[in-house]
């Protein structure tokens, strides 16, 4: 024990001599300056350290509910598709390509409100995807007039959606009419071929007591009556 104490004393004496020889300061002054320097270093470095990233609380994670399974909608109109644009958080995010509707709810960060592709949601944006356009005039399913490279790009988008998202329906096609409006293909009236055919000469009208549209045929009964009077 005495040997250990004497060894420590010798080391301390050597350290004090070294501090005085190399710094010109007494051991007390040296350690005081060293302590102040370390305190200053930690104080300055704390201003430049980035704050730790905020961690999600357990309560927030518990509130996050899993996505419901996709619901098959069948055939719907473009107006009905618009309600699935993310404005209602309780409804899924739907988007159509070439008339095929896909549920993109799992990529809400891209297709949800505020996302880079949010303007495509709730629409058939085939033309915009083919042209990589964000203009309102291209937010349509009309792909007429597109070039081969644009059609190829659209095909790539379709393959991506088919492999990643669930198809939940189709967009009901519209048929243009002469007055510039459009009607649904399922709403067109059925034509009656028998009503469209004109009556042949010598045949009775379709309805009893109905006169023919031909003036000559309408006058024929009067001429016949006049002939019978003459004969009498």
């Amino acid at each position: 024990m005495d040997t250990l104490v004497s060894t420590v004393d010798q080391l301390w004496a050597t350290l004090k001599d070294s501090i005085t020889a190399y710094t010109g300061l007494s051991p007390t002054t040296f350690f005081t300056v060293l302590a102040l320097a370390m305190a200053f270093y930690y104080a300055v470095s704390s201003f430049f350290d980035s704050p730790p990233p905020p961690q999600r609380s357990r309560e927030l994670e518990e509130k996050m509910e899993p996505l419901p399974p996709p619901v098959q909608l069948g055939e719907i109109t473009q107006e009905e598709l618009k309600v699935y644009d993310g404005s209602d958080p309780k409804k899924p995010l739907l988007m159509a390509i070439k008339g095929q509707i896909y549920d993109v709810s799992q990529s809400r960060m891209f297709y949800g409100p505020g996302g880079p592709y949010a303007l495509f949601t709730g629409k058939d944006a085939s033309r915009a995807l083919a042209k990589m356009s964000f203009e309102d005039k291209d937010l349509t399913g009309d792909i007429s007039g597109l070039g081969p490279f644009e059609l190829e790009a659209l095909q790539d988008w379709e393959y991506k959606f088919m492999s990643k998202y669930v198809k939940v329906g189709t967009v009901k096609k519209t048929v243009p009419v002469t007055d510039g409006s459009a009607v649904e293909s399922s709403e067109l009236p059925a034509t009656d071929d028998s009503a469209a055919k004109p009556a042949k000469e010598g045949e009775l009208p379709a309805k009893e007591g109905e006169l023919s549209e031909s003036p000559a045929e309408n006058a024929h009964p009067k001429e016949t009556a006049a002939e019978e009077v003459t004969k009498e």
Side-chain angles (χ1 to χ4, degrees):
M1 187 66 179
D2 295 338
T3 305
L4 181 60
V5 173
S6 61
T7 302
V8 173
D9 291 340
Q10 290 177 0
L11 291 175
W12 175 243
T14 303
L15 181 60
K16 289 193 296 183
D17 294 340
S18 300
I19 291 173
T20 303
Y22 287 103
T23 63
L25 301 175
S26 64
T28 303
T29 305
F30 173 77
F31 285 111
T32 301
V33 173
L34 182 61
L36 292 174
M38 292 181 65
F40 178 77
Y41 170 76
Y42 284 112
V44 173
S45 61
S46 63
F47 290 103
F48 297 97
D49 289 342
S50 58
Q55 298 181 354
R56 293 183 177 180
S57 62
R58 183 172 299 179
E59 296 179 358
L60 181 60
E61 294 180 355
E62 291 178 354
K63 290 181 180 179
M64 295 179 61
E65 299 178 357
L67 293 174
V71 178
Q72 295 295 325
L73 300 178
E75 190 178 35
I76 62 175
T77 64
Q78 295 182 8
E79 289 297 324
E80 293 172 333
L81 180 60
K82 289 181 180 180
V83 301
Y84 299 97
D85 60 354
S87 56
D88 187 351
K90 296 182 180 180
K91 292 184 179 180
L93 296 174
L94 301 184
M95 177 179 167
I97 294 182
K98 296 171 68 174
Q100 308 301 311
I101 304 173
Y102 298 91
D103 188 330
V104 296
S105 301
Q106 67 187 64
S107 299
R108 184 171 290 271
M109 63 181 299
F110 293 103
Y111 298 99
Y117 302 131
L119 74 166
F120 298 151
T121 312
K123 306 177 185 68
D124 187 335
S126 300
R127 191 175 192 87
L129 292 174
K131 300 175 64 176
M132 289 306 298
S133 171
F134 292 91
E135 298 183 10
D136 292 338
K137 65 179 182 179
D138 293 324
L139 297 176
T140 175
D142 181 14
I143 58 175
S144 60
L146 295 179
F149 294 104
E150 294 171 333
L151 293 175
E152 184 178 357
L154 179 60
Q155 190 70 44
D156 292 340
W157 275 102
E158 186 178 18
Y159 286 152
K160 175 184 176 181
F161 272 61
M162 292 172 61
S163 61
K164 186 175 182 180
Y165 304 114
V166 178
K167 177 186 171 182
V168 296
T170 57
V171 178
K172 188 177 296 184
K173 295 181 179 180
T174 57
V175 179
V177 293
T178 55
D179 60 354
S181 61
V183 296
E184 304 296 339
S185 57
S186 61
E187 297 177 358
L188 290 176
T191 57
D192 189 355
D193 294 338
S194 60
K197 295 180 180 179
K200 295 182 180 179
E201 185 177 357
E203 290 184 352
L204 293 175
K207 295 182 180 180
E208 185 178 359
E210 182 180 358
L211 294 177
S212 172
E213 295 181 358
S214 173
E217 294 181 4
N218 292 338
H220 181 69
K222 297 180 180 178
E223 295 176 358
T224 303
E227 293 177 358
E228 291 180 356
V229 172
T230 306
K231 291 181 180 179
E232 292 179 354

